[in-house]
Amino acid sequence: MEKNKASFIQSFAGLVAGKRSKWGILLAWVSLALLLNLTLPQANSLVDDSAGNFDGTKAPSQANAIMEEEFPDESGLPALVVWHKSSGIESAELESIQQIIKQLSENPLPNQEMIPPLHNLPPEVLAEEVSEDGNSLILPIFFHDSVDADKLQKDFQLMSEEIQSIIGINPFDEDLQSGELSARVTGPAGILMDATQLFSAGDLSLTIITFALVLTVLLLIYRSPILAFIPLIGVGFAFAIISPLLGWLAQEGWIVYDSQGISIMTVLLFGAGTDYCLFLISRFRYYLKIERNKLIALKYAISDKGGAILMSGLTTITALSFLLLADFGPIQRFSIPFVVAIFVVALSSVSLVPALLAILGRKAFFPFTPRTPEMEKELANLKGKPIPVKKERTRIVEKVRTFVINRAKLATIVTTLVLVALASFVFHINYTYDTLSSFPEDMSSREGYTVIENSFHEGQLAPVSVIVDTRGNDLDLFERLEDLAYVKAISEPNMGKNNEDIMMLQLDLEMNPYSNEAMDVIPDLKEVVTASLLSVDIEEGTGEFWIGGQTAEQYEIRETSNRDVFILVPLIISIIALLVFLYLRSITAMIYLTLTVIVSYFSALGLGWLVIHYVIGADAIQGFIPLYVFIFLGALGVDYNLFLKSSIWKKAPHMPLNQAIHESVAETGPVINSAGIILAGTFSVLATLPIQILVHFGIITAIGVLIDTFIVRPFLVPAITTWLGEKAFWPGKSKSLKEESSSQ
């Protein structure tokens, strides 16, 4: 099998580095990119930010379905238009608001489902709906559940124009403290619009900043203006194919993705794609110094690193494929776009990029052109100058490598203790599922929420819906719920339109409905409803009830994401371990490389929390960030270990193990350091976005990449391998290594 694998890689290398085939490969990529972009839609045009978090089997989804069927006047996606005037809303302004409501009732917005007929109320009755301080009024408007953010934006733009024609100003543009009548849109619809706006505004800047960062680092590494653009060209062509492919898949209804997924995919594309190219380019430069023929040197480079690149891509693709098993929608929707992205960019790295290198040859490295000693001598003679002599310098890095190998046990213990110490801070992390807390304070939905919090009470932002099939019984549920300390207000019972046995009660909680405290009451609510059903002899398990609303959905998100963690993390770890074993053929290496990925992940979480909490000042991180981080650190973190270990495995049969480790670390160190800096840099670009979720995710992932790059790869892995000696190859053995070692 090893011979077949080597034969395939060598044949493939001959294809992409051929005199004629290199032009054919370039033409194929250009033609495919043009064809797909001319015939298929772009991915961004089919983003769906309204896609649900769950399938129809989850309680919140079932509650929404019951509400649509039995309570159509109270179903749909609610937008809370919060009217506010710091000096107090006057009666004339209430009359204007009633005119607006009348206009929206008689001429509904395109996606409007229902608006309460407050325009029919006498002025003195409507005045009772104003907050106690007299400053604020909440107007709920319900939209179709399937409406997306773009349609909502258009509806509210239309509404703001109609409002301006009635009252003479646009209240959505007025400052809350201006003394004029102002309005803000919050609630689920407002949050959806703001989230989409934040991601849309960040997409272009994210791409530009990432491009500039990668280009700058590449220029610093290679000091060649030509070479710096080659990885970016490879990534650019990959994106030119990925975007229409995803657009086509979405257009056919086969996949769904959101703005958050596309943003992270862009970062992943630049980071992983550039990393793959760096490993190939560094090896190509190495062989250009010992081989005169550029095509032969390129074939050697592809044969040497092509397998590791493809294995790295396969590991990442396989790990990301398991996300299809997730119950939480946003995690599941990551899978296909990311798999397509990694597949295409890995293919570009081993075909298009080598074709470009084959065409440019040594010119790609101008002005620091790599040459063989003979070529250096010829050039010196031609210029009439002495042959340059490279001075050997003993650097600090060299001394560190020597220390790690000579004191392997000490290096292993110290490094492990440092990582475990960082990982211990994981137990201090606070988690939140409050979407609003991740928005900038000047966003409409967050400002609207602040007004509700100050003028009314937080629970009105997102009431909890309790729906029960009474089976014709007179339940004491209203009284039981009314007595609960965490219930601020409760609506009168509302009976179903089609089935009068279906009863709905809506609760306003005392606390922020998006908080952990609010989510923690959902299990208690279920027990209260169950007790009420039992009181009329409806046995537990036979009665049907549903709890809906944003708090119930957030609770389900927490439970579902926790379930995904317990299922997906072991699966991804297992597949990474299996692929490492298949590539290295060593159970020992499989075990300790997998363990380094795990300890690196937890140490990144711990150190990330220290930075986010004590440096940035955040009180909590989003509850699903640890799973997001593990997906990428688990899939990408093993890459650098594979590149290092594959080098050790190739050298070990031909020299003592310690020498093989020393040379492999020295050989792969600079390129892995460069790749790690670029990958960490691309993820840190997420910190420039005004979205706290992505800021925290980017920081923790970047820290994890840096830990892998500068602690695990140069210290822990070489130290463990040296400590284990020939056992590191078990059950395989290196005969030449044994003979060399015994002869020392």
Side-chain angles (χ1 to χ4, degrees):
M1 182 175 177
E2 289 292 332
K3 291 182 179 180
N4 292 336
K5 181 174 72 174
S7 177
F8 169 76
I9 296 295
Q10 290 170 1
S11 300
F12 184 78
L15 175 66
V16 298
K19 290 183 178 180
R20 293 193 178 93
S21 57
K22 61 187 179 185
W23 294 104
I25 289 173
L26 178 60
L27 179 62
W29 276 91
V30 173
S31 301
L32 184 59
L34 286 173
L35 177 64
L36 294 182
N37 281 273
L38 290 174
T39 58
L40 298 177
Q42 295 298 309
N44 284 336
S45 66
L46 289 161
V47 164
D48 184 1
D49 286 314
S50 63
N53 291 320
F54 315 106
D55 57 27
T57 63
K58 298 296 182 182
S61 301
Q62 293 176 344
N64 289 337
I66 295 292
M67 289 182 68
E68 288 179 11
E69 182 179 349
E70 298 293 342
F71 310 98
D73 290 342
E74 298 186 47
S75 66
L77 185 69
L80 303 182
V81 181
V82 184
W83 297 89
H84 179 75
K85 186 176 181 182
S86 56
S87 59
I89 298 177
E90 300 174 4
S91 57
E93 290 162 334
L94 287 176
E95 291 177 7
S96 297
I97 292 173
Q98 284 187 306
Q99 292 180 37
I100 294 167
I101 297 171
K102 182 180 180 181
Q103 171 68 16
L104 293 174
S105 298
E106 295 175 353
N107 302 285
L109 300 169
N111 297 285
Q112 178 184 318
E113 190 163 289
M114 193 276 290
I115 184 171
L118 301 182
H119 59 289
N120 294 329
L121 296 177
E124 61 273 13
V125 176
L126 181 61
E128 294 177 2
E129 298 296 322
V130 178
S131 60
E132 290 183 6
D133 59 12
N135 294 341
S136 307
L137 174 71
I138 300 174
L139 171 63
I141 305 177
F142 293 88
F143 293 85
H144 302 305
D145 275 326
S146 58
V147 69
D148 59 31
D150 289 337
K151 292 177 180 177
L152 281 173
Q153 292 280 10
K154 292 176 182 177
D155 277 9
F156 276 98
Q157 179 61 36
L158 180 62
M159 186 179 78
S160 66
E161 293 171 0
E162 293 179 357
I163 291 174
Q164 189 165 3
S165 68
I166 294 173
I167 65 176
I169 62 170
N170 185 350
F172 298 101
D173 292 337
E174 294 292 330
D175 187 90
L176 291 174
Q177 304 303 322
S178 66
E180 299 292 335
L181 183 65
S182 62
R184 297 293 185 269
V185 182
T186 189
I191 292 171
L192 173 60
M193 286 192 294
D194 282 352
T196 304
Q197 180 184 338
L198 285 171
F199 281 110
S200 299
D203 275 347
L204 181 60
S205 61
L206 181 70
T207 303
I208 293 173
I209 295 173
T210 305
F211 179 89
L213 173 71
V214 173
L215 179 60
T216 301
V217 175
L218 288 173
L219 285 170
L220 291 174
I221 293 171
Y222 291 112
R223 295 171 292 171
S224 167
I226 300 174
L227 192 65
F229 279 97
I230 291 178
L232 294 174
I233 291 172
V235 171
F237 270 94
F239 185 78
I241 289 174
I242 292 164
S243 182
L245 275 180
L246 293 179
W248 172 63
L249 291 172
Q251 187 180 54
E252 295 297 321
W254 293 334
I255 66 171
V256 177
Y257 48 80
D258 51 30
S259 300
Q260 178 174 278
I262 294 299
S263 295
I264 298 177
M265 186 203 73
T266 302
V267 169
L268 177 66
L269 194 63
F270 273 98
T274 306
D275 274 13
Y276 295 153
C277 294
L278 282 181
F279 287 109
L280 180 64
I281 290 171
S282 67
R283 207 60 186 154
F284 180 43
R285 183 172 62 173
Y286 168 79
Y287 281 114
L288 284 175
K289 293 179 180 180
I290 59 177
E291 172 57 52
R292 179 183 290 268
N293 188 303
K294 65 179 183 180
L295 297 182
I296 295 176
L298 184 57
K299 289 177 184 178
Y300 287 156
I302 298 172
S303 299
D304 204 4
K305 292 300 179 186
I309 292 173
L310 292 176
M311 189 65 196
S312 172
L314 177 62
T315 303
T316 306
I317 287 171
T318 307
L320 292 172
S321 298
F322 276 101
L323 299 185
L324 289 171
L325 300 176
D327 276 348
F328 186 41
I331 293 290
Q332 188 186 65
R333 290 193 290 271
F334 272 172
S335 183
I336 300 300
F338 290 4
V339 165
V340 171
I342 289 295
F343 175 79
V344 175
V345 80
L347 189 61
S348 170
S349 302
V350 295
S351 60
L352 175 60
V353 171
L356 293 172
L357 292 174
I359 292 169
L360 293 171
R362 287 181 166 83
K363 295 176 184 177
F365 296 87
F366 176 84
F368 298 96
T369 306
R371 299 181 180 90
T372 64
E374 293 79 8
M375 295 173 70
E376 291 282 6
K377 183 177 180 180
E378 291 170 5
L379 182 62
N381 291 336
L382 183 64
K383 293 182 176 181
K385 295 181 178 181
I387 300 173
V389 179
K390 294 182 179 179
K391 297 180 180 180
E392 294 293 333
R393 294 181 298 174
T394 303
R395 300 180 299 173
I396 295 177
V397 176
E398 182 70 20
K399 294 179 179 179
V400 171
R401 280 197 291 263
T402 302
F403 171 80
V404 169
I405 292 173
N406 292 341
R407 304 293 300 275
K409 292 183 181 180
L410 178 61
T412 300
I413 293 170
V414 171
T415 306
T416 303
L417 287 176
V418 170
L419 293 176
V420 170
L422 292 175
S424 66
F425 290 98
V426 167
F427 299 105
H428 300 281
I429 298 177
N430 298 321
Y431 298 103
T432 180
Y433 294 83
D434 182 359
T435 306
L436 272 175
S437 66
S438 68
F439 289 0
E441 293 182 357
D442 60 351
M443 293 299 292
S444 176
S445 57
R446 189 159 182 182
E447 285 188 325
Y449 169 72
T450 302
V451 171
I452 292 176
E453 184 180 24
N454 294 335
S455 297
F456 298 92
H457 59 85
E458 299 168 294
Q460 285 183 274
L461 181 66
V464 176
S465 301
V466 179
I467 306 170
V468 182
D469 183 356
T470 66
R471 299 186 184 179
N473 293 288
D474 186 15
L475 298 179
D476 61 350
L477 183 58
F478 183 91
E479 292 75 15
R480 289 175 182 264
L481 293 174
E482 194 175 33
D483 290 339
L484 296 175
Y486 51 78
V487 174
K488 177 75 174 180
I490 182 170
S491 70
E492 291 297 324
N494 193 355
M495 308 313 292
K497 178 180 179 181
N498 303 308
N499 183 352
E500 293 186 355
D501 289 343
I502 301 293
M503 178 180 71
M504 181 176 72
L505 298 168
Q506 290 197 311
L507 318 177
D508 290 346
L509 300 179
E510 285 280 2
M511 67 288 288
N512 176 359
Y514 292 96
S515 66
N516 286 325
E517 185 184 4
M519 288 185 283
D520 289 340
V521 308
I522 296 298
D524 185 64
L525 275 178
K526 292 179 180 180
E527 292 181 5
V528 171
V529 177
T530 300
S532 181
L533 292 173
L534 287 172
S535 69
V536 293
D537 297 328
I538 299 178
E539 295 182 5
E540 186 174 359
T542 62
E544 291 187 330
F545 68 89
W546 304 266
I547 298 180
Q550 290 300 303
T551 305
E553 182 162 337
Q554 294 293 97
Y555 170 78
E556 200 65 48
I557 287 174
R558 185 174 69 180
E559 297 303 302
T560 302
S561 59
N562 287 340
R563 173 262 178 200
D564 286 343
V565 167
F566 287 116
I567 290 179
L568 292 178
V569 169
L571 278 175
I572 293 174
I573 290 173
S574 299
I575 196 62
I576 289 173
L578 177 61
L579 291 174
V580 169
F581 171 72
L582 291 176
Y583 187 65
L584 297 178
R585 300 302 181 87
S586 166
I587 292 177
T588 307
M590 175 194 73
I591 292 172
Y592 71 77
L593 287 183
T594 304
L595 289 176
T596 62
V597 170
I598 295 172
V599 73
S600 174
Y601 161 71
F602 281 110
S603 61
L605 268 185
L607 181 55
W609 170 247
L610 292 178
V611 172
I612 291 169
H613 183 58
Y614 293 103
V615 178
I616 297 178
D619 294 326
I621 63 172
Q622 288 289 326
F624 35 79
I625 282 181
L627 180 56
Y628 281 19
V629 171
F630 179 80
I631 290 167
F632 292 98
L633 290 185
L636 298 173
V638 76
D639 288 0
Y640 299 159
N641 288 340
L642 280 179
F643 284 113
L644 173 61
K645 295 296 287 187
S646 64
S647 179
I648 295 174
W649 255 234
K650 288 178 181 179
K651 293 179 180 295
H654 310 293
M655 61 185 70
L657 179 58
N658 285 8
Q659 183 183 344
I661 295 171
H662 191 283
E663 289 189 9
S664 295
V665 173
E667 177 185 294
T668 62
V671 66
I672 290 179
N673 292 345
S674 303
I677 291 171
I678 288 177
L679 188 59
T682 53
F683 276 108
S684 66
V685 168
L686 292 173
T688 65
L689 297 178
I691 308 163
Q692 201 175 72
I693 297 174
L694 290 186
V695 171
H696 295 171
F697 166 73
I699 289 173
I700 296 174
T701 307
I703 288 173
V705 172
L706 293 176
I707 287 174
D708 274 333
T709 304
F710 295 105
I711 297 180
V712 174
R713 190 273 311 166
F715 292 98
L716 189 57
V717 172
I720 294 175
T721 306
T722 304
W723 189 355
L724 291 174
E726 192 173 345
K727 294 177 183 177
F729 295 85
W730 187 84
K733 291 185 178 182
S734 177
K735 185 177 179 181
S736 299
L737 168 64
K738 186 176 181 179
E739 291 174 355
E740 285 277 355
S741 299
S742 62
S743 65
Q744 297 299 310

